[in-house]
Amino acid sequence: MRDILPALSGWYAARAPFGLATVVAVSRSAPRDPGAAMAVGPGDEVVGSVSGGCVEGAVFELAQEVVASGQARLETFGYSDADAFAVGLTCGGEITLLVRPVTPESDPSFGAVAESVAAGSPVTVATVTDGPAPRGATLAVWPDRVAGTLGTRGLDVAVTADARGELALGATGLRHYGPHGERREDAVTVFLHSFAPPPRMLVFGAIDYAAAVARIGDFLGYRVTVCDARPVFATPKRFPEGVEVVVDWPHRYLRGTGTDDRTVICVLTHDPKFDVPLLEEALRRPAAYIGAMGSRRTHDDRMRRLTEAGLTQGERSRLRSPVGLDLGARTPEEVAVSVAAEIVALRWGGSGAPLTATAGAIHPTESP
């Protein structure tokens, strides 16, 4: 959704109706996660994807129909051994889509939501998918305000509370309520789509490898910062556009920087006077991934120094060192791919093994 918002914002500003299809539920080996979106706008222009190509043709027609009728639709696409292509997905999974028309009249808060997402400000959009409430009705929830309604005040109040909780976690998924927000009922199904700020990638050490890691981190959707104490190396022209470059001692910069459970920290300084104080700080704070570059000899020396600095076994065990998966990488770009592969594998619980050597579903049934 984040990727296609510029196009949607343009259509919305021009008051051109468009059909928006959003994945609201998946099962088994589904190709996309909840929140993936596709839209059909003026002139039959298409942006986004909900299945990687399996059912886009059918969704295109659905989007046209909901724009013409003004009525939202809930549709499920799955797999059938007898007639796979007729049902849609050939990967063995199942996706449920909410397809709804969007206009300034039907969704007055869409423009404000798009502005918040573009600015990196947190917002959750709650949309009714099923039950005795207006299907497609939306409620936009920010940390300090709301806009829109799902049909009843009780439902709005209950969903607002849950949406703020999901927003704090950056979580997206379905919730169930009674018609007036009753917690122990499941008559109304609501899709909570959280737009949290992009996760951060902090890269320490302004070397050639850092430029490659920063580039692939930006490609993966991270907000990337490169930090080095040496101003001759920490210059913006050495890094991709949009990457923040900071001149500071790494441990001092990290000490003054917020991290959370989505933050990725890559230590590429390869110098004990930089990386040991930095890792002392990093391993004692929230982060999804902490990796450090170096040989196995460097790793052993680093772990000895961290032990002497008082870090516990549990703290030291969080360190991914030497950094990256074993791909036989040589160039900075290849090393960056191995680092990115390890980050993705750790995020989703992947083994890092070739898919030809594994069995079972390729995609996890749900996010960890």
Side-chain angles (χ1 to χ4, degrees):
M1 175 68 89
R2 192 185 301 273
D3 293 337
I4 68 174
L5 270 175
L8 305 190
S9 296
W11 297 340
Y12 189 83
R15 306 186 71 82
F18 59 90
L20 178 61
T22 304
V23 178
V24 298
V26 302
S27 66
R28 299 190 300 277
S29 187
R32 301 296 301 274
D33 292 320
M38 168 182 160
V40 178
D44 291 339
E45 181 180 355
V46 178
V47 294
S49 171
V50 292
S51 73
C54 297
V55 301
E56 266 66 8
V59 176
F60 175 82
E61 295 179 1
L62 276 172
Q64 291 179 314
E65 291 173 10
V66 301
V67 169
S69 68
Q71 301 297 314
R73 298 263 299 271
L74 189 71
E75 298 287 347
T76 296
F77 295 87
Y79 175 82
S80 166
D81 289 332
D83 199 0
F85 287 97
V87 188
L89 294 185
T90 59
C91 60
E94 184 176 275
I95 59 173
T96 299
L97 305 176
L98 176 70
V99 189
R100 65 185 181 95
V102 178
T103 65
E105 292 74 27
S106 66
D107 192 349
S109 62
F110 184 89
V113 169
E115 290 177 2
S116 293
V117 175
S121 300
V123 60
T124 293
V125 178
T127 309
V128 174
T129 66
D130 204 8
R135 178 175 288 160
T138 61
L139 178 71
V141 181
W142 290 267
D144 59 350
R145 69 188 194 279
V146 300
T149 180
L150 302 182
T152 67
R153 174 170 172 74
L155 185 58
D156 289 347
V157 170
V159 171
T160 295
D162 288 345
R164 286 183 173 144
E166 298 292 86
L167 187 57
L169 300 173
T172 287
L174 294 172
R175 288 292 190 98
H176 303 277
Y177 306 88
H180 298 281
E182 296 88 344
R183 297 285 183 177
R184 296 179 181 275
E185 298 185 24
D186 59 2
V188 180
T189 304
V190 178
F191 180 62
L192 300 182
H193 192 177
S194 296
F195 295 92
R200 297 197 68 187
M201 172 181 280
L202 306 177
V203 181
F204 295 96
I207 59 177
D208 289 346
Y209 291 96
V213 170
R215 188 175 299 111
I216 203 167
D218 180 67
F219 175 75
L220 290 175
Y222 288 93
R223 182 163 62 93
V224 183
T225 298
V226 176
C227 175
D228 197 302
R230 302 165 296 178
V232 68
F233 295 110
T235 60
K237 67 181 181 181
R238 299 185 65 236
F239 297 93
E241 183 179 357
V243 171
E244 179 186 30
V245 181
V246 174
V247 179
D248 200 351
W249 280 82
H251 71 282
R252 184 169 61 191
Y253 173 77
L254 183 58
R255 189 174 298 148
T257 299
T259 64
D260 59 28
D261 290 336
R262 302 182 300 153
T263 304
V264 166
I265 300 174
C266 297
V267 179
L268 312 180
T269 48
H270 205 15
D271 185 332
K273 72 175 179 288
F274 290 122
D275 62 16
V276 171
L278 171 59
L279 288 169
E280 285 186 59
E281 180 68 30
L283 294 169
R284 288 172 169 153
R285 60 165 53 226
Y289 175 92
I290 304 170
M293 177 176 283
S295 67
R296 298 196 186 281
R297 179 180 295 180
T298 298
H299 169 76
D300 292 340
D301 177 67
R302 182 186 290 136
M303 296 301 281
R304 177 182 60 80
R305 292 171 182 264
L306 292 172
T307 301
E308 293 173 351
L311 272 78
T312 66
Q313 173 61 33
E315 290 168 336
R316 299 194 306 273
S317 68
R318 299 178 62 204
L319 179 62
R320 316 288 292 194
S321 171
V323 71
L325 296 185
D326 180 15
L327 305 183
R330 294 290 187 270
T331 68
E333 291 74 20
E334 290 173 344
V335 170
V337 170
S338 82
V339 172
E342 184 175 44
I343 291 169
V344 173
L346 187 63
R347 176 184 180 186
W348 296 109
S351 67
L355 288 174
T356 54
T358 65
I362 294 174
H363 303 286
T365 56
E366 61 182 32
S367 304

